[in-house]
Amino acid sequence: MTNAPEATEAPEATEALAAPPAPAATPAPAPPAYRDLDEPGRRAWMEAAIRTYFDGCNEADTAKTAAGFHPDAVHYFPPGLDGPWTGAATIAAHWRRLTLTIGSAWTIDRLITDPATHQAVIEWTHYKTAPGGFLRGDEWYAFDPDTGLITEIRAYYASRSDGRDHVELEGFDYGARGYQLSCPVDRPHPDAQY
């Protein structure tokens, strides 16, 4: 029996048998900038920014709460309520504090956007689950026309609190109109301090 000579392949043959190189990864296209979106796209963007903001507040997640805000955003309040709050981080920190100390939780009851003017308005309910009770109101939102970030919120309450547990419009049938009548968010928050 003779030993067969060792087979040697030419470099070209080895390269031909090897798997072809993977194509260069093509990065996913960047989402369009807010200013480049059509009206339905801007409308969806604005609604998503507001809903993400409320989700972040309910989760006491400051990064999520602040994500849709311009860094210098301002949140205005009725007189006597420790406002305005200036800056995305400040706004997020205040809502986290209220979520963890008084069991704050929010719902968006109505939402309307106007992409042509970069504005939106919502009707909300703020549940204060530790002391009990809730407050209803509206907020007017302004968005930066280039970035789509929230630059301003102006809050309007159903009425100034006079010590009542439930602050809402008198005579308005919230239940018949489909509003939440009790807090739908699990409370207390896992990190609650009350």
Side-chain angles (χ1 to χ4, degrees), residues 22-37:
T26 304
Y34 173 80
R35 71 179 164 275
D36 298 330
L37 295 172

Side-chain angles (χ1 to χ4, degrees), residues 98-116:
L98 290 172
T99 298
L100 301 182
T101 58
I102 65 168
S104 288
W106 297 265
T107 58
I108 296 173
D109 303 315
R110 304 287 187 273
L111 186 149
I112 299 171
T113 61
D114 183 8

Side-chain angles (χ1 to χ4, degrees), residues 4-29:
E6 243 181 68
T8 58
E9 295 180 19
E12 299 83 26
T14 304
E15 290 172 12
L17 296 175
T26 304

